[in-house]
Amino acid sequence: MPSDSLVLPKSVTEEDVLEVRHWTDELFSFRLTRPAAFRFRSGEFVMLGLMVDGKPLLRAYSIASPAWDDGLDFFSIKVQDGPLTSRLQHLKPGDRVLLGKKPTGTLVLDALLPGKRLYMLSTGTGIAPFASLIREPETYEKFDQIILTHTCRNVADLAYGAELVDSLVEDPLIGEMVGPKLTYYASTTREDFVHKGRITTLIENGQLFKDLDVPAFDPAVDRVMICGSMAMLQDTKKLVEGFGFTEGSNANPGDFVVEKAFAE
Ligand code: A2P
């Protein structure tokens, strides 16, 4: 029986840390056990945290693994004075983490109308829900082309996404489904790289479409999912609305959906 069980809220379970990987001084990922009763749709987020001074300290985290996986992956920043991530970054295999029982969210395929091309636009840890969705077979059943963009300050920040995409394309099981449909487009803003600039800039000046050799956003055929910081969401949302896209939700599917990359 866990030592904190007397104060463990009914809304959470305690899960084991299976694996931890540090990508940079500011980014790490970890894998947890998944309770048998835990159901979610690829792209959703869940509350996650630790007991601190006898109380649960929980934050929303996008689940980075797909719905079919038997473990749960997360990708997080480390904020040195952040109440939760200052502690979470020291996780080791065998440690226990609190996991909410009710995942939810709008970055799900159900919230989008049918379309041909699906854009997933992310910055920083905002790639997490897309790490889930690019491993979801339904994504490839519903769309002809999937374009995942990831913009970070530095090249090293791109490693998590780049490595995942590489491993998918080479995967003997899903490589055949992913390879022909998934396009990965990474850019940096504070270091030299093959593509440079904020995603908003690359959309505005048309560079993204030129590099990808596709027509500019068209709400008749394109769908967009957006995940990043609050400022990134606001700016990108405004931009896609300018192209005539309307926002969707679980109750009212639309042309695009947005979600904050949860961070302290
Ligand atoms: P920049 O370096 O120009 O600020 P952060 O780590 O601050 O969340 O940033 C992650 C990435 O998102 C960075 O490349 C950053 O670019 C970019 N970014 C920050 N704010 C915006 C915004 N309002 N619109 C688009 N991209 C943004």
Side-chain angles (χ1 to χ4, degrees):
M1 176 153 299
S3 52
D4 288 318
S5 63
L6 282 180
V7 282
L8 201 66
K10 284 202 171 61
S11 59
V12 302
T13 58
E14 265 193 317
E15 299 308 318
D16 290 331
V17 176
L18 298 171
E19 220 180 281
V20 183
R21 229 175 126 179
H22 294 271
W23 297 87
T24 68
D25 288 347
E26 283 155 4
L27 294 168
F28 73 113
S29 58
F30 53 96
R31 184 169 177 83
L32 304 182
T33 50
R34 174 178 175 173
F38 189 88
R39 294 272 172 274
F40 73 102
R41 293 176 297 171
S42 296
E44 288 190 316
F45 66 85
V46 66
M47 300 308 287
L48 186 149
L50 297 168
M51 293 300 288
V52 176
D53 301 328
K55 281 185 277 191
L57 178 62
L58 300 164
R59 295 282 183 272
Y61 267 89
S62 287
I63 303 167
S65 46
W68 52 260
D69 200 346
D70 34 331
L72 295 171
D73 293 339
F74 299 92
F75 182 44
S76 177
I77 51 164
K78 310 175 196 177
V79 181
Q80 294 319 323
D81 56 357
L84 182 62
T85 64
S86 63
R87 294 177 166 92
L88 220 48
Q89 65 183 281
H90 301 297
L91 285 181
K92 292 181 305 302
D95 287 348
R96 310 208 81 188
V97 167
L98 304 181
L99 178 77
K101 290 180 182 170
K102 285 198 166 36
T104 181
T106 53
L107 284 189
V108 289
L109 296 167
D110 291 346
L112 289 174
L113 293 167
K116 291 207 164 103
R117 196 179 284 124
L118 174 60
Y119 285 89
M120 301 175 173
L121 310 178
S122 68
T123 57
T125 56
I127 194 173
F130 304 140
S132 170
L133 281 161
I134 59 169
R135 286 183 273 179
E136 169 59 61
E138 199 186 334
T139 305
Y140 299 92
E141 284 158 21
K142 286 192 160 168
F143 293 92
D144 297 338
Q145 189 183 9
I146 291 97
I147 296 167
L148 167 65
T149 80
H150 192 204
T151 305
C152 293
R153 296 180 184 194
N154 301 306
V155 179
D157 306 332
L158 298 169
Y160 175 83
E163 199 182 293
L164 175 66
V165 170
D166 276 352
S167 72
L168 284 191
V169 173
E170 284 160 23
D171 189 291
L173 220 57
I174 52 173
E176 265 181 52
M177 175 177 68
V178 174
K181 289 197 171 181
L182 178 65
T183 304
Y184 168 69
Y185 184 96
S187 73
T188 56
T189 48
R190 304 200 187 181
E191 212 173 44
D192 271 345
F193 190 61
V194 52
H195 303 300
K196 261 209 100 181
R198 288 185 170 195
I199 190 62
T200 41
T201 309
L202 296 166
I203 292 169
E204 269 169 326
N205 66 18
Q207 190 65 42
L208 175 73
F209 309 112
K210 202 170 143 204
D211 289 341
L212 295 171
D213 196 22
V214 294
F217 282 153
D218 177 358
V221 288
D222 294 329
R223 298 292 169 258
V224 185
M225 295 177 137
I226 311 167
C227 189
S229 64
M230 215 55 217
M232 179 273 195
L233 290 191
Q234 276 164 6
D235 292 352
T236 316
K237 178 181 151 128
K238 214 155 83 190
L239 209 50
V240 299
E241 282 174 341
F243 282 89
F245 287 68
T246 53
E247 189 168 356
S249 66
N250 279 291
N252 278 307
D255 307 320
F256 79 96
V257 283
V258 297
E259 202 131 85
K260 185 169 168 267
F262 306 94
E264 298 185 301

